[in-house]
Amino acid sequence: MKFIIEKGQLSTLTTLVHRAASNKATIPALSGILIEASREKGLTMTATDMEIGIKTSTEQVDIIEEGTVLVNAQYFSDFIKLLPDSPVTISLNHETSKLDITYGRSTGHINIYDNQEHPGLPVKEALEKITLPQKVLREGLKKTAFAAAHNHFRQVFTGVLFDILEDGMLKIVASDTHRLTQYTYMLEEKGLEPFNFIIPIRTINEILRVLDDSEEKISICTTENHVVFQKPRFLLVSRLIEGQYPSYDNVIPGTFKTEVDIDAYKFTTALERARIVPADERIKIPQIQIYLEGQEAVFKTYSEMMGEIIEVIEGVDIKGESPFKIVFNTNYLLEIARIYAGEGEKVNIKFSGSLSPALITNPERDNYLYVIVPLRTSTSN
Amino acid sequence: MSIRLLDDELINKIAAGEVVERPASVVKELVENALDAEARHITITISQAGLEKIEVEDDGQGMSREEIPLAFMRHATSKIKEEEDLYCITTMGFRGEALPSIAAVSRIDIYSCQEEGEGVWAHLEGGKITSIDYHPCPKGTRIIVRDIFYNTPARRKFLKSPVAESSHIFELVVKYALSRPDIAFTYRGDKKIYFKTPGNGNLRDAVLAIYGRDFLSPLIDIEYKGENYSIKGLISRPEVKRNNRKNQLFFVNNRPVRSQLLYKAVDEAYKGLLVTREYPVVILSLLMPPYEVDVNVHPQKTEVRFRDDGKVFRLVYQVLREHLDNLEYQGIGEWTKNKEDLFFYPEKEKEKKEPGVYIREKKLPWMEDPLFSREEKSQSVNQPLAGGKEVLELVFNRQAADKESDYKILGQVLKKYILLERDNSLYIIDQHAAHERVLYEQFKKQYRQEKTGQMLAFPLSLQLSAKQVEVIEKNADLLKDLGFELDIISYNSAVLRTAPSFIQGSEFQVMEEILASLEEKGEADLYDNILVMMACQKAVKAGDMLTWMEMDKMVKDLWETDNFRYCPHGRPTMFKITEEELNNIFKR
């Protein structure tokens, strides 16, 4: 095998795939990148740790001799990343059984693995398929994935749910049981059967790295227990989380007692100040009390060690029952406030009671919502 | 006083003491009889922890009118005939002692019917048949034991609380139900059904019926078939750990047994995966030729002796080890295999490279030997054990010395220990243990005042055992104080609506631990357990780099705490080398 390629081009491929390789040494083949050079298909790289697999290829390569090698992903990609910007010649030395990487007058010789041992990607026949613009998927995932749990005894909460409804409505939902996010998008495909699947959070993070803000389409296929993200010259396969996602519709409150519109910027900065209150030595959940009365929203944070901050935002529009008091985890509130602050002027919060979930939305857009469940404190009941 | 023979009644009462120790022993004997009668369905009903009534109903062979009086005579049995049989026992009972012993200390009604025979009813008081007659009843035997120990008040006095007695019975019935997944067991209490196994021969289904889905899911099947020996059962993945052996059940030829040898083999198999005082869940059924095992060691037959200890040990060890090893490498080229843990927790995998460190940190506090924490407590009540003198010394020194300048931090070594000079001595402080102690004391102050629970958007339904549900029912207020709110849905499930934020994702495991500790120790230690767990989770770990300021703060805080020489688990936080000791080393 021998080919010549620009460093930039090569580096793009390796950075894309190397993260899919396993970083354990137990099964060497899984910690490798499979490099395939073909005159017809160009240069293809594949890596998988059996949990997630990525395959990508380029035609901007000069293939001199076809062939396949398997090299350690970490060493190879780290090395490629640091090469000078110049053409790189990569060839398999059959005598030494090493991969020679030549740049200028310098050469690196890298050990190879037996490429027969690489399992390849388990792409089977797709059952269902949807297609959507990359920027939509990117926004949808960015706005939902953060609410998923990193670790949960109910596996489904460590993933993001893709729920395709009868009318072609796609709902992307994530929850760690303390809050829930939902992003909706109308798919172009017609006549879809309703189906759903749960993608592990690690896969979401990987796919977010390759998505850009373009209108270019990406397709998502599911097989029995895998999901495949596909765009030209790129393929990401991941296992799905098995299990039934609980019915999230019931979690989204429908009737409300009190409603408030707050300036998004003021809301965020108030929360940011509130966030610093509990000194890190304290384990207690950073909590904030919201008190609504008249035209004012009062945010109170208290810490035995530091003291307290009382933020007053004036000129808020309160509808329904007031005065009203509720306590939330500051972090959960701040995360959503930051999203809305980058988007519009106002944040709308609807409360269904001091001990019931609240709904937070951007009053200008209706494709996204955030449900947050309050804390029950010794003073709240 | 002249020597004379004891009368039969007295002999029976004395012998009864051997066999019938407590209500659970009655249940045991009756269930074993039902099993030996080749029953397919066994229903056990308990009232008032078995003190009022124990009823065992089966659909086995039954007895004829002639057999019933014999059954209640000592050393009458249908199970063995000659001495040779003793070495080749396949039935549960064989001594012929059980029924007469039970009868001697209770009032019994027995209904029995053989296939195509006539039903018989008999009533016994204190071991004597007072009436016997034909009475229609379904095939099998139903035996009702009432007022146990009514004529031996001394024994009755020595019984533990009804809760403890019924928990004994529960554990016992569970053991038998799991030993024979091919038989449908129903266990009922005063008003409710505790569990009902399907009796379809599948151990998984039996476990599911008793403990619920959440208990079952992390268990893996193991199986081995050899020429003479075979092993089958369920064992837990190494991530699952318990603080006692209650969930380690062994069956030898379908007989529940306790065996130090088997415990040891299991421990050995999990070596490196779990640390001391962490126990896996193990449900193992061993089948071997009857002559390879001697069950006649003890009247209760819970202890067994193997003819070839070494062989059994090696076999269990190897089979378990093999399955555990396969777990690590499972799934090469097979994406469909169920290996979520490899899949979704890459961090865990990485940490496994250093099993010792990883396991230690992730450990839940009440996995520690309870003795340890008790020991620690007793220390605080002015009973210094080892090193007591030094503790006092330090306390005095601390009070006397100027707090600002009485120590000098020398630095951090191995990213694990802080070196310190103080009072002409060198101290080595374990940063994790020290921080744990510091946090523990802080939480202790705060936690009782603040009772915050995060309400859940998705109430988490928990599949529990009937026992656990009962504990929840009894301790609802206490759990609420801790930030847990649960609704009981049925006899084996509950829904969690509010839980402390910091345990997100491990609600089930934490609940299980809390319930286990409530069951065992009562509420007194519970706060402590929670605090220890929180402290352990939040403390800096071995391997964390510390800045001078952090070290200084930690050391200062540590000295402020009571009991600073030990972490809440009872491990030492520091090691002291005095000037003389150093001088000795260097022969000055």
Side-chain angles (χ1 to χ4, degrees), chain B residues 486-519:
Chain B
L486 293 116
D487 287 344
I488 292 164
I489 299 300
S490 73
Y491 70 90
N492 66 354
S493 66
V495 162
L496 187 65
R497 300 201 182 277
T498 304
S501 269
F502 56 85
I503 62 159
Q504 189 206 55
S506 38
E507 289 93 347
F508 177 66
Q509 289 89 327
V510 173
M511 265 323 291
E512 256 196 338
E513 291 308 328
I514 291 179
L515 294 179
S517 97
L518 273 176
E519 220 175 294

Side-chain angles (χ1 to χ4, degrees), chain B residues 531-545:
Chain B
L531 296 177
V532 173
M533 177 195 73
M534 285 161 49
C536 186
Q537 281 187 351
K538 298 290 167 185
V540 295
K541 309 282 188 271
D544 290 348
M545 282 288 264

